[in-house]
Amino acid sequence: MISLVCPSMTAAMLLLASSVAFAGGSPVVFTAHDYGFTGPERIPAGVTTMQIVNRGQDLHQIQLLKLLEGKTAEDFRAAVAAQPGQIPGWVKFVGGPNAIVPGGDALATMPLAEGEYLLICLIPNEQGIPHLALGMQKALSVKGGKSVAVSVPKADVTITQEDFRFGLSRSITAGIHTVRVLNHGTQPHEVVVVKLAPGATASDFAAAVEPRTAMPPPGAPIGGVVGIERAGDAFFTAQFEPGRYGLICFFPDRATGAPHFAKGMALDFTVR
Ligand SMILES: [Cu+2]
């Protein structure tokens, strides 16, 4: 079991100038609203780029879960209703595009095997209720093969996740980058990429949204990858502008429940 902890904030200040083009095959598009997802019911297996388009007033993400042991979306709904704040142990965290501000969009690419999946948003509203409990759960069947084989994208930067720190393979320059995220830890980790307000650090941002406070947090998320498991990897593409950025993991420590950023998973860097 894992508790639901994630970033949150109301709206935001920084919109991506335009959609980021992507080389890894045409994306499967899901629209997020307050509170639900619209998009396809079924997609082919293989390397898949997923795009979230945020048409809501709050931050949204797509955490993609693979349902194990023959469980269904209805089983998940019942389990979460019975034990709010807990994710059942029979799901696998397989990535998805992370938090994006209203009006924005974000992309992530993952290899998807055939099976039954669920899209959820773990981000809480201002009352602390995760969006998945407000309706942001959508079933997705992955079946059959693609008509055209798509290979994993070519990344020019790698972010490694450990228990509990981020590593960056090189400095990130201004422009569009495809980033590989690799979990070298033992727990599921995410990476939220935040464009920081002047003078703020990733820890400042994390502390302002977890627990959620009334004031606007000092920065705006521009995507990243939601939870992936040990030895898992995923890719995201984002447009970086010169300035200060942060990488943050809000997932809870399995032993203590403390958010990973409080244990060291908050990294600041500068884009030039
Ligand atoms: Cu983590």
Side-chain angles (χ1 to χ4, degrees):
M1 305 291 266
I2 185 167
S3 34
L4 304 171
V5 184
C6 240
S8 65
M9 44 184 279
T10 24
M13 312 102 221
L14 212 135
L15 302 179
L16 280 181
S18 60
S19 295
V20 175
F22 196 68
S26 46
V28 179
V29 181
F30 290 93
T31 301
H33 55 91
D34 309 335
Y35 294 93
F37 293 110
T38 56
E41 312 286 318
R42 178 179 164 163
I43 60 171
V47 174
T48 304
T49 295
M50 206 168 263
Q51 182 175 32
I52 181 172
V53 177
N54 187 350
R55 296 268 181 259
Q57 305 294 313
D58 200 351
L59 285 180
H60 294 298
Q61 67 181 181
I62 295 173
Q63 167 73 67
L64 195 57
L65 300 175
K66 188 165 197 283
L67 301 171
L68 308 177
E69 301 172 15
K71 298 289 188 181
T72 64
E74 196 42 57
D75 293 331
F76 183 88
R77 198 166 281 120
V80 168
Q83 285 196 285
Q86 300 287 328
I87 296 282
W90 38 261
V91 302
K92 187 178 172 196
F93 290 81
V94 291
N98 215 335
I100 185 69
V101 296
D105 65 89
L107 293 165
T109 302
M110 297 74 53
L112 299 182
E114 286 196 337
E116 297 305 314
Y117 289 78
L118 199 61
L119 283 68
I120 62 171
C121 180
L122 294 157
I123 296 172
N125 72 359
E126 286 186 15
Q127 286 72 47
I129 301 167
H131 293 172
L132 76 96
L134 301 169
M136 297 193 81
Q137 302 183 27
K138 179 175 171 45
L140 177 67
S141 278
V142 176
K143 279 201 179 75
K146 292 187 194 306
S147 52
V148 178
V150 179
S151 53
V152 295
K154 208 166 142 43
D156 59 351
V157 185
T158 299
I159 293 172
T160 49
Q161 299 165 317
E162 291 169 39
D163 310 340
F164 298 95
R165 58 184 290 275
F166 286 112
L168 207 47
S169 66
R170 43 160 284 207
S171 55
I172 296 180
T173 53
I176 294 171
H177 291 281
T178 296
V179 182
R180 183 181 185 208
V181 182
L182 195 53
N183 187 344
H184 281 165
T186 66
Q187 302 194 13
H189 294 293
E190 68 170 339
V191 56
V192 179
V193 183
V194 179
K195 175 96 165 67
L196 297 167
T201 65
S203 293
D204 293 339
F205 180 89
V209 300
E210 169 70 45
R212 191 168 187 152
T213 55
M215 61 161 177
I222 65 156
V225 169
V226 206
I228 52 175
E229 307 266 349
R230 171 184 202 162
D233 72 338
F235 298 80
F236 72 91
T237 299
Q239 182 169 347
F240 293 86
E241 297 160 4
R244 296 287 290 165
Y245 283 79
L247 305 179
I248 305 172
C249 180
F250 290 87
F251 269 52
D253 178 32
R254 276 183 169 154
T256 66
H260 290 177
F261 70 79
K263 302 178 72 87
M265 293 191 81
L267 180 72
D268 299 315
F269 63 98
T270 300
V271 173
R272 293 193 170 84

